[in-house]
């Protein structure tokens, strides 16, 4: 046993000595070759210890390897629209690949004064409507090779202004925004500083910007018209505070359609929340609909239909009515606006007016990218309006036959 342990000990000792020798061998070889290098350098001889290209190759190296001017190499590698022959382009790209050339991103940033990213600011990431807007923007940005910088203002004017200034200081010079601000001053400063803006569903119009809106007035009329066509004559309107232009236009559309149809509709038929704030639960609009539906006995008041300002509020209305024993659509029909993705999934499936959120975001982003890639980078003032589409589902009921009886 003793001889066996001694043998194991000796082997371990030899192994450790070998490791020590190998580690120190590489160290001494490194020192040796370094001394040789400096000795030869002092004698005026050039020593190329590495046959592979340098990782730190610059634009001049690429131009020299391709046998072209630095200007031509720059045009190819920067993606410039300046015409370059296919032969030159192939030589430059091949040289860049051989030399492991990496563009100087910071230098490009300083020269162009822009990061090339696209900023997005929306009031909330809790409302699926805004998520669909972001999805449309992101899809267009991805197709065109642009990154995005996404911010939520949390329905706060101060937070929105702070985010705009952060993007400006970060040299993110293209912005799509669903603004909650009542003043265009911060965005004007952004534009005056060289920024480009696409404004979606804002309280104001902006010069030298893309102004995109959905036809919310028409949306209100379509919702009211659908209920009138189904025989409803006593209709309530439930909403978050009527402080935003979008909501004001929806209400105006509802009012005009009902009055022109000979149906009485006054301020007493409008029920609104008192305050607007971001909810930690992510259910602000849903909670508003639920609370408003609980505040009144709409069936007792004679209402046969409710128009909710958006789909999330409509979900809250339906839940509160069902909990109080009121059938939807048996006793009261409910219609919303937005057509967010969940509206087909709830029960009953929600009748709603589709506001083209994703398409709006996609088109606005495409227009912004076209401006980004133009030589002038200046946007001429333009406005485009998206139509609405009625989506009839199971939350509204045709009561004409019942009235005929």
């Amino acid at each position: 046993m003793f001889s066996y342990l001694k043998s194991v000990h000796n082997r371990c000792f030899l192994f450790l000595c070998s490791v020590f020798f190998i580690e120190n061998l590489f160290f001494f070889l490194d020192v040796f070759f370094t001394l040789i290098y400096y000795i030869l350098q002092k004698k005026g001889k050039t020593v190329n210890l590495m046959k592979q290209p340098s990782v730190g190759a610059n634009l001049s190296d690429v131009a020299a390897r391709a046998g072209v001017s630095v200007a031509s190499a720059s045009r190819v590698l920067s993606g410039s629209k300046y015409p370059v022959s296919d032969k030159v382009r192939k030589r430059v790209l091949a040289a860049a690949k051989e030399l492991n050339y990496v563009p100087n991103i910071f230098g490009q940033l300083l020269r162009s004064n822009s990061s090339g990213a696209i900023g997005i600011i929306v009031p909330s990431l809790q409302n699926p409507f805004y998520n669909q807007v972001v999805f449309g923007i992101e899809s267009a940005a991805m197709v065109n090779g642009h990154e995005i910088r996404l911010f939520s203002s949390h329905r706060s004017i101060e937070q929105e202004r702070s985010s705009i200034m952060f993007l400006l200081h970060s040299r993110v010079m293209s912005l799509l925004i669903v603004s909650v601000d009542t003043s265009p001053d911060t965005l004007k400063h952004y534009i005056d500083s060289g920024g480009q803006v696409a404004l979606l569903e804002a309280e104001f119009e902006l010069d030298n910007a893309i102004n995109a809106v959905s036809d919310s007035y028409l949306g209100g009329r379509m919702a009211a018209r659908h209920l009138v066509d189904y025989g409803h004559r006593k209709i309530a309107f439930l909403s978050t505070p009527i402080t935003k232009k979008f909501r004001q236009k929806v209400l105006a559309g509802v009012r005009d359609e009902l009055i022109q149809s000979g149906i009485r509709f006054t301020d007493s038929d409008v029920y609104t929340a008192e305050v607007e704030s971001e909810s930690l639960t992510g259910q602000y609009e849903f909670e508003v609909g639920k609370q408003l539906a609980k505040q009144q006995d709409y069936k007792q008041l004679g209402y046969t239909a409710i128009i909710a300002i958006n789909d999330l509020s409509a979900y809250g209305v339906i839940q509160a009515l069902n909990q109080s024993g009121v059938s939807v659509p048996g006793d009261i029909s409910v219609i919303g606006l937005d057509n967010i993705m969940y509206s087909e999934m709830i029960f009953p499936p929600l009748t709603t007016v589709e506001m083209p959120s994703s398409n709006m975001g996609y088109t606005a982003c495409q227009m912004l990218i076209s401006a980004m890639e133009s030589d002038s980078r200046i946007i001429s003032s333009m406005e485009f309006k998206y139509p609405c589409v009625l989506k009839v589902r199971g939350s509204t009921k045709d009561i004409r036959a019942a009235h005929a009886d």
Side-chain angles (χ1 to χ4, degrees):
M1 175 64 71
F2 176 77
S3 61
Y4 174 75
L5 292 174
K6 185 177 180 181
S7 173
V8 172
H9 176 269
N10 290 337
R11 289 177 183 175
C12 290
F13 177 76
L14 289 172
F15 174 74
L16 292 173
C17 287
S18 300
V19 171
F20 177 80
F21 174 76
I22 292 171
E23 287 182 346
N24 284 276
L25 176 62
F26 282 117
F27 171 75
F28 286 118
L29 286 173
D30 185 49
V31 172
F32 174 75
F33 283 116
T34 302
L35 288 172
I36 294 295
Y37 174 78
Y38 281 112
I39 290 170
L40 292 173
Q41 286 286 87
K42 285 187 176 182
K43 291 183 177 181
K45 295 183 178 180
T46 302
V47 181
N48 185 7
L49 297 176
M50 302 292 288
K51 295 296 183 182
Q52 65 188 40
S54 169
V55 175
N58 57 33
L59 187 61
S60 298
D61 297 330
V62 174
R65 175 66 67 91
V68 300
S69 67
V70 174
S72 295
S74 175
R75 288 166 187 152
V76 172
L77 297 174
S78 66
S80 170
K81 296 180 180 179
Y82 191 91
V84 177
S85 69
D86 290 340
K87 185 177 180 181
V88 169
R89 186 180 302 279
K90 289 178 181 178
R91 278 161 47 194
V92 170
L93 293 175
K97 185 176 181 181
E98 291 171 9
L99 294 171
N100 295 324
Y101 172 73
V102 178
N104 185 341
I105 300 300
F106 295 105
Q108 291 178 1
L109 174 59
L110 290 172
R111 286 191 298 274
S112 66
N113 205 30
S114 172
S115 68
I118 296 173
I120 307 172
I121 302 176
V122 293
S124 171
L125 294 175
Q126 298 174 335
N127 187 329
F129 175 82
Y130 298 123
N131 293 339
Q132 290 176 188
V133 172
V134 171
F135 176 78
I137 296 171
E138 186 179 29
S139 298
M142 183 172 61
V143 167
N144 290 277
H146 291 273
E147 295 183 350
I148 64 169
R149 302 287 184 268
L150 175 61
F151 296 85
S152 169
S153 65
H154 301 282
R155 305 178 193 276
S156 165
I157 293 175
E158 291 74 19
Q159 181 60 47
E160 178 183 304
R161 293 173 180 175
S162 176
S163 297
I164 293 171
M165 296 310 297
F166 178 84
L167 289 169
L168 182 58
H169 293 154
S170 303
R171 310 315 297 160
V172 177
M173 303 306 292
S174 298
L175 170 63
L176 293 105
I177 180 170
V178 182
S179 179
V180 298
D181 206 337
T182 54
S183 168
D185 290 347
T186 306
L187 285 171
K188 282 182 178 179
H189 174 69
Y190 180 86
I191 292 173
D192 291 342
S193 300
Q196 298 171 307
V197 174
L199 196 60
L200 285 66
E201 302 288 5
E203 295 300 295
F204 49 83
E205 292 184 3
L206 201 58
D207 292 334
N208 302 317
I210 299 166
N211 294 276
V213 295
S214 55
D215 196 341
S216 51
Y217 174 79
L218 176 61
R221 295 200 69 139
M222 291 177 72
R225 183 75 255 165
H226 169 68
L227 295 176
V228 171
D229 288 345
Y230 267 20
H232 295 277
R233 296 296 180 267
K234 180 73 170 174
I235 299 168
F237 182 80
L238 277 59
S239 176
T240 46
I242 311 293
T243 54
K244 305 296 182 185
K245 186 182 292 185
F246 173 88
R247 298 166 194 165
Q248 293 166 0
K249 288 183 176 180
V250 171
L251 178 56
V254 169
R255 190 188 306 275
D256 288 351
E257 185 64 39
L258 293 180
I259 291 175
Q260 289 178 19
S261 299
I263 296 172
R264 186 176 181 274
F265 184 83
T266 67
D267 290 343
S268 63
D269 299 308
V270 179
Y271 301 87
T272 63
E274 295 181 359
V275 296
E276 180 167 5
S277 63
E278 192 75 313
S279 168
L280 293 177
T281 64
Q283 299 178 341
Y284 166 69
E285 286 96 342
F286 174 80
E287 292 296 337
V288 165
K290 193 173 178 180
Q291 291 169 9
L292 291 175
K294 288 181 176 180
Q295 287 177 5
Q296 304 289 337
D297 187 340
Y298 293 93
K299 183 178 178 181
Q300 185 68 30
L301 291 172
Y303 290 105
T304 61
I306 292 174
I307 299 174
I309 188 61
N310 57 35
D311 287 4
L312 281 180
S313 295
Y315 299 168
V317 170
I318 290 172
Q319 185 181 97
L321 291 177
N322 286 334
Q323 289 174 348
S324 63
V326 177
S327 170
V328 177
D331 297 318
I332 295 181
S333 292
V334 177
I335 186 172
L337 291 95
D338 278 351
N339 193 32
I340 58 178
M341 63 185 75
Y342 307 117
S343 294
E344 284 187 286
M345 304 177 192
I346 69 164
F347 184 82
L350 183 67
T351 297
T352 184
V353 178
E354 181 177 86
M355 315 304 283
S357 53
S358 181
N359 288 340
M360 181 189 298
Y362 188 93
T363 304
C365 187
Q366 286 281 28
M367 296 174 71
L368 192 64
I369 290 171
S370 296
M372 289 170 64
E373 295 176 349
S374 69
D375 293 333
S376 65
R377 287 185 55 85
I378 296 176
I379 298 178
S380 300
S381 298
M382 62 181 76
E383 178 178 343
F384 63 99
K385 183 179 292 187
Y386 271 97
C388 308
V389 180
L390 177 66
K391 300 289 183 178
V392 180
R393 300 190 179 109
S395 65
T396 51
K397 179 181 178 181
D398 189 337
I399 61 173
R400 287 172 294 181
H403 282 182
D405 294 340

